[in-house]
Amino acid sequence: MAVKARRVAVIGAGPAGAIATDALAKEQAFDTIRVFDRRAGIGGTWIYTPHLPTGIPSLRALASGDADVAVPVPPPQHLPTVTALSDEVNGHQRRFSDTALHEHLHSNITPALMSYTQEPFPGTLSARTLADHGPGAPFRHHAIIRDWVEGIFSRGGHESLLSLSTTVERAEKLGGEWVLTLRKEELGRNYWWRETFDALVVATGHYNVPWFPSIPGLLEYDERFPGKILHSKHFRTAAKFKGKRIVVVGGSISAHEVIHEILGVAQTPVYASLRGEPIPAFGWEPFLHPDIVVKREITRLDPETDHIVFGTGYTFSVPFLPNVQERIKNAYRRLPGVYQHTWNIEDPTLAFVGMLGGGFTFRVYEWQAVAVARYLAGRASPLPSIPEQLEWERKRVAEKGGGKDYYSIAPDYGAFFEFLRGIAGEPAPGTTGRVLPPFDDKWLELWTGMVTHKIQGFQRKRKRAEESREFPKAKL
């Protein structure tokens, strides 16, 4: 399917939306580029929202896949129009528009891998980073990262393309065009209108809607003891957990962070519940601290526990795309019908940037963004046939199932980067298109070193705790 778009909409002004916007602009091939973000500022999930009360309106709705649903939109013949604010449309908990940042959250990927090729990270270190990891630490506080994202828009001169506090409530392909129903909250009301585009780039991320594993009795427990069940998305500060009996569920980064934030504040021991093995990169080291007791899969929910915090990740959700949302609901924690985590198989004028994981974020977003921009400009290598794309998805589901295994690009980083570089090709002569360098195996060494740095931090913390109480060694 040959594509040559002139008008492109980008949904999201976080790291993925920033690089998608810059890649599109540098192609110098589009008459219109518009960027929409429902939040009032640039940064996406890196905007800190401590002022918003945390909570999940309905755990039962989350479990059934009916939580983040499309809101009713005014009929087309009534647009543009103005409506009153309502919790259904504007409520941050119902719309999952608060972010997953806590006060001490730092990046967990080294700047050399996290930054884009033309946008290096600043060397600024927070006091917390210096105390925990020393002056050579490869981690950056969330405020540094948000400033960096803002800089991509400002240095590129892309602020004029932005429409903030603007939610894309519906995106439909009608008559060969993408018709977006938009809502802007301002002056105490909702203003609705429509705009049309040739192509749509979704860069909304996948850290909005929490995911909870299926545990017998969990929904009933939540309804009987409201407020005891929490998700790491809503962790803001350790102070809330002072002297409390806490169980943290999960074996990956979110669980690590919550546990180590509340150690020394919560009642000891803090219990860690893991259904299987922990994330391979870090292994058991985050759980070896003497104040952590590891329990396997939850079999009984104790009413004496003050809080059970689920650091179990997120699920995909794009309620503004009804057809895609329906596919997501019928799959297991993945973005179905999308080739190489990037192109909608049925219609590649719909593309996704940043809907993957496994490492090398944000760097891999740049490769996606350039490949998508060049494809929409009609300058890229062709995608495989639809049957070949569907076969790629079928094989991946058969091998990986769903969840993180499916949308992770690990361990085949080089192959994925080079695939995208092959699609993108070189910039058109006379344009400012971004050049994608070949994948460098030295990046893998940086990745390994970064993990080692984090593991050493856990080890130092454990050693200090053991020495302070003459604890001989930690046991699982």
Side-chain angles (χ1 to χ4, degrees):
M1 176 181 178
V3 173
K4 193 172 179 62
R6 307 303 301 181
R7 303 163 298 165
V8 184
V10 178
I11 308 179
I19 193 62
T21 302
D22 192 77
L24 288 164
K26 283 186 166 60
E27 281 300 301
Q28 299 175 304
F30 307 103
D31 297 330
T32 301
I33 301 170
R34 291 272 278 151
V35 186
F36 304 104
D37 196 290
R38 61 181 174 174
R39 298 185 177 97
I42 296 168
T45 196
W46 293 92
I47 296 175
Y48 187 34
T49 57
H51 58 290
L52 297 178
T54 60
I56 296 169
S58 171
L59 186 58
R60 191 172 291 277
L62 264 183
S64 65
D66 296 321
D68 190 26
V69 297
V71 300
V73 301
Q77 64 270 24
H78 293 165
L79 297 176
T81 192
V82 173
T83 62
L85 303 183
S86 69
D87 187 59
E88 179 185 18
V89 173
N90 303 92
H92 73 274
Q93 291 184 359
R94 291 175 64 98
R95 304 304 304 273
F96 298 92
S97 59
D98 53 340
T99 64
L101 301 186
H102 58 80
E103 63 176 337
H104 296 305
L105 188 137
H106 286 65
S107 61
N108 53 31
I109 296 178
T110 186
L113 299 181
M114 202 170 185
S115 60
Y116 299 138
T117 54
Q118 298 177 22
E119 293 85 11
F121 267 20
T124 309
L125 299 181
S126 69
R128 178 68 174 266
T129 301
L130 288 168
D132 287 353
H133 301 287
F139 311 116
R140 300 292 183 269
H141 188 261
H142 61 75
I144 302 298
I145 295 174
R146 181 184 176 181
D147 288 346
W148 175 80
V149 177
E150 289 179 331
I152 296 173
F153 279 97
S154 62
R155 287 191 299 272
H158 306 322
E159 297 102 314
S160 62
L161 309 179
L162 279 162
S163 181
L164 299 173
S165 298
T166 303
T167 303
V168 178
E169 296 290 12
R170 200 77 83 247
E172 305 166 286
K173 194 71 175 287
L174 301 172
E177 294 181 316
W178 283 101
V179 180
L180 272 55
T181 302
L182 303 158
R183 178 184 58 81
K184 189 176 185 70
E185 183 178 333
E186 60 182 358
L187 301 176
R189 61 183 187 173
N190 292 314
Y191 174 65
W192 301 77
W193 76 102
R194 286 179 133 193
E195 294 186 25
T196 56
F197 299 89
D198 302 314
L200 180 60
V201 180
V202 177
T204 52
H206 54 101
Y207 297 103
N208 296 308
V209 180
W211 180 80
F212 288 81
S214 177
I215 297 175
L218 181 65
L219 301 181
E220 294 76 13
Y221 181 89
D222 178 60
E223 290 164 356
R224 185 180 176 191
F225 304 105
K228 284 185 178 286
I229 301 294
L230 304 173
H231 192 274
S232 59
K233 178 182 181 180
H234 298 133
F235 178 81
R236 294 292 179 265
T237 174
K240 175 179 179 177
F241 300 90
K242 184 176 178 60
K244 302 292 181 66
R245 187 181 186 209
I246 306 298
V247 177
V248 179
V249 182
S252 192
I253 305 297
S254 296
H256 301 170
E257 289 197 350
V258 172
I259 287 177
H260 283 269
E261 282 291 318
I262 65 176
L263 282 177
V265 176
Q267 181 185 129
T268 57
V270 174
Y271 294 92
S273 173
L274 286 81
R275 177 179 291 183
E277 296 296 305
I279 183 174
F282 298 97
W284 287 104
E285 189 58 52
F287 303 99
L288 297 180
H289 191 283
D291 288 335
I292 299 172
V293 170
V294 174
K295 298 289 186 180
R296 288 307 197 171
E297 185 173 357
I298 292 176
T299 57
R300 183 177 65 88
L301 295 161
D302 185 356
E304 298 302 315
T305 299
D306 291 301
H307 292 295
I308 304 174
V309 185
F310 283 80
T312 47
Y314 300 82
T315 189
F316 292 88
S317 186
V318 286
F320 52 89
L321 286 166
N323 293 338
V324 178
Q325 187 78 340
E326 186 63 24
R327 298 196 313 237
I328 290 171
K329 185 176 179 179
N330 294 324
Y332 173 66
R333 294 183 70 198
R334 66 184 184 91
L335 194 57
V338 176
Y339 178 60
Q340 294 284 359
H341 317 292
T342 308
W343 287 278
N344 188 57
I345 295 174
E346 293 178 353
D347 181 358
T349 63
L350 170 62
F352 299 85
V353 174
M355 299 291 209
L356 40 68
F360 284 80
T361 51
F362 309 127
R363 176 63 59 89
V364 70
Y365 301 172
E366 180 178 359
W367 268 243
Q368 284 186 296
V370 174
V372 166
R374 212 151 283 159
Y375 182 82
L376 294 178
R379 297 167 174 167
S381 297
L383 296 174
S385 67
I386 287 180
E388 289 175 290
Q389 294 181 48
L390 291 170
E391 179 64 8
W392 173 86
E393 182 181 19
R394 186 196 67 78
K395 287 182 176 179
R396 193 162 185 87
V397 171
E399 178 185 357
K400 307 284 188 180
K404 286 186 176 181
D405 288 344
Y406 182 90
Y407 63 81
S408 171
I409 63 171
D412 304 316
Y413 302 113
F416 187 69
F417 273 74
E418 286 302 293
F419 163 77
L420 292 172
R421 194 170 74 92
I423 293 292
E426 296 299 317
T431 70
T432 56
R434 299 177 77 105
V435 177
L436 296 177
F439 184 84
D440 190 339
D441 287 338
K442 291 181 179 177
W443 296 347
L444 295 174
E445 297 174 14
L446 290 171
W447 173 260
T448 302
M450 174 202 69
V451 172
T452 301
H453 203 107
K454 195 87 170 179
I455 288 173
Q456 289 172 345
F458 290 130
Q459 291 171 337
R460 287 192 298 270
K461 190 171 184 178
R462 169 165 59 91
K463 185 177 180 180
R464 288 195 299 266
E466 291 173 347
E467 289 175 347
S468 69
R469 54 180 57 78
E470 297 181 348
F471 199 87
K473 69 175 184 177
K475 297 180 181 179
L476 287 177

